[in-house]
Amino acid sequence: MAFALPVWLAVQEELLQQEEADCGTSSCFDSLDDEALFDMFHLTRPCIAFIVDAVRLRMKKHATKRPVHSVDTMVMVALNYYAHGMCSTAVLQRLGLDHVNYPMNIVSKVSGVIAGMSDQFISFPLCAEARSSLASKMEKSCGIPGVLGVLAPAHFKIRVSPYERQTFKSFLNTQGYTSVVSQMIFDSDGNIMSVEKCTVGGTCEQEMWDSSLKGREMEEDVHGPFWVIGGKGYRQSKHVLTPLLSPTSDSEFRFNEAHAKIYEVIRTTLGTMKRRFKCLLQLGFAEQGSLSKKSNIIKSCCVLHNIAKKFSVAPPPVAGKIEPFNPVKQPLVPAEIHPEAQKARQELIEANFSDVSSSQD
């Protein structure tokens, strides 16, 4: 459910027309075999070709002047940076680039373009049929009905100079390292349906949700009577379904187990993303006014993650630690949970996780 089928087909049709117009033109990717492509970019040839065409089409529509380098050259630099967290010497030499800072200007340009494609490749279900279908698939996965997705803060490390720790202390998160954090919503297959609110790592989850576009839409019933699964850092509401902090009955324990099972999709998906796009392991130094640049890189990797899943591109093998869950960042003044929200969660538990309902499954 990364993006609706009609959107995907429309993009494909437009790209096919573009391919016909560009038929016969060579690409800097052509001289690399499939193994080298994956080693350098952690993507396959068909996937890379689609990305290059999509970026070319976007730039043709929105660019105000002709770029200095060809689109495939710029995309090669950016994809190499995303995959390894740096632009490799082999790629730069192949393209005739050697200026230390120049490649990052290219990465910044391409990241802005790909991030702008999020309206095509990152989408929340907008029609009733799509929402019902998604909720049905989610229920089969964890047993909880009426759920559209899994809500989570995604932290990405950044460096801070020892001389500027006080200046950037708001970037310090509950794990004890400096980061930026984005609010994301995933479906049960690990597709990204929403990404927004890139902010400092010390921001609490509930504050992000309350001020986010998707949070306001959900709480105002724009998307109907559905839930998103949220962790302990979120307040139980009529649209955010959180675990019970102190379960007492078998049905409540069963609900918490189902909640934890589907919440695991966050760890799996973020781990996959950080293996494929190693730039997300370290986004460089914190700078005043640099959040938009960090946001564009994060959002670009989200777009490329969804495209890679559409092309069934396996990520690089697991190496190192499993993606951890960040300890909860609680607001300074805990808000009271509305009795109706608590009642709705309890009714869901009794209807779906009691002894009677469980024996019928």
Side-chain angles (χ1 to χ4, degrees):
M1 193 59 206
F3 32 90
L5 185 59
V7 173
W8 172 257
L9 293 176
V11 172
Q12 275 196 317
E13 183 179 357
E14 198 166 6
L15 291 180
L16 284 172
Q17 294 172 356
Q18 179 67 29
E19 284 180 7
E20 291 175 2
D22 296 333
C23 186
T25 58
S26 60
S27 166
C28 56
F29 293 96
D30 293 343
S31 61
L32 296 167
D33 62 30
D34 291 350
E35 184 177 354
L37 280 176
F38 192 83
D39 286 344
M40 286 185 175
F41 312 110
H42 297 163
L43 298 167
T44 58
R45 191 178 303 277
C47 186
I48 291 171
F50 180 88
I51 292 164
V52 171
D53 287 341
V55 171
R56 181 182 292 112
L57 189 62
R58 187 85 178 189
M59 290 184 70
K60 186 173 289 188
K61 284 183 176 180
H62 300 282
T64 55
K65 59 181 180 179
R66 187 180 181 85
V68 176
H69 299 286
S70 66
V71 172
D72 57 329
T73 294
M74 296 171 68
V75 172
M76 177 176 274
V77 170
L79 292 184
N80 184 235
Y81 169 79
Y82 299 147
H84 297 283
M86 59 181 290
C87 299
S88 68
T89 302
V91 167
L92 295 181
Q93 288 180 344
R94 176 180 290 272
L95 299 174
L97 300 174
D98 54 13
H99 194 283
V100 175
N101 295 317
Y102 197 51
M104 286 312 299
N105 292 336
I106 295 175
V107 171
S108 179
K109 172 71 173 178
V110 175
S111 295
V113 174
I114 297 178
M117 291 156 52
S118 60
D119 59 342
Q120 294 177 299
F121 299 110
I122 299 175
S123 65
F124 210 69
L126 298 179
C127 67
E129 183 180 358
R131 287 192 285 265
S132 296
S133 175
L134 193 61
S136 177
K137 189 171 185 179
M138 188 72 76
E139 185 173 2
K140 289 179 181 177
S141 177
C142 67
I144 304 176
V147 173
L148 292 181
V150 186
L151 169 68
H155 284 264
F156 304 98
K157 289 182 180 180
I158 58 169
R159 293 191 182 105
V160 170
S161 165
Y163 305 104
E164 296 183 300
R165 291 194 184 279
Q166 279 300 111
T167 303
F168 294 104
K169 64 181 180 179
S170 60
F171 287 78
L172 190 67
N173 65 27
T174 52
Q175 285 278 56
Y177 63 85
T178 48
S179 68
V180 293
V181 56
S182 289
Q183 176 183 283
M184 297 187 184
I185 301 177
F186 308 88
D187 70 12
S188 58
D189 292 325
N191 294 300
I192 300 170
M193 301 192 299
S194 173
V195 55
E196 59 176 311
K197 300 299 294 182
C198 179
T199 186
V200 298
T203 309
C204 72
E205 288 94 319
Q206 187 63 45
E207 180 185 332
M208 291 178 69
W209 177 249
D210 289 341
S211 60
S212 70
L213 173 62
K214 201 57 62 185
R216 292 194 299 271
E217 287 179 353
M218 288 289 292
E219 299 301 345
E220 291 171 5
D221 290 322
V222 171
H223 299 284
F226 292 95
W227 307 90
V228 289
I229 294 287
K232 296 177 182 179
Y234 296 95
R235 182 175 65 250
Q236 172 66 29
S237 72
K238 64 179 180 178
H239 290 293
V240 178
L241 190 59
T242 62
L244 290 109
L245 298 181
S246 302
T248 56
S249 66
D250 288 345
S251 58
E252 290 177 348
F253 277 105
R254 279 192 287 270
F255 167 76
N256 271 11
E257 289 173 359
H259 189 286
K261 178 182 178 182
I262 193 60
Y263 205 68
E264 184 68 22
V265 74
I266 298 164
R267 192 201 306 268
T268 302
T269 304
L270 289 177
T272 296
M273 286 182 66
K274 291 179 180 182
R275 294 206 310 275
R276 191 189 303 282
F277 307 116
K278 291 185 179 178
C279 68
L280 297 178
L281 295 172
Q282 179 57 260
L283 284 174
F285 278 94
E287 301 171 283
Q288 295 290 356
S290 67
L291 276 180
S292 61
K293 292 182 180 179
K294 311 294 188 194
S295 177
N296 278 346
I297 291 174
I298 293 167
K299 192 171 285 188
S300 294
C301 290
C302 290
V303 168
L304 297 176
H305 166 81
N306 279 358
I307 292 174
K309 284 185 69 64
K310 193 71 176 180
F311 279 85
S312 301
V313 183
V318 176
K321 298 180 181 179
I322 297 174
E323 178 69 19
F325 281 128
N326 278 62
V328 172
K329 174 76 174 182
Q330 297 285 8
L332 295 176
V333 181
E336 292 186 10
I337 302 175
H338 196 282
E340 287 299 317
Q342 288 182 313
K343 180 182 177 183
R345 179 176 61 186
Q346 200 59 40
E347 288 176 348
L348 181 148
I349 293 171
E350 291 172 1
N352 297 275
F353 295 93
S354 66
D355 292 337
V356 175
S357 64
S358 297
S359 64
Q360 291 174 345
D361 291 339

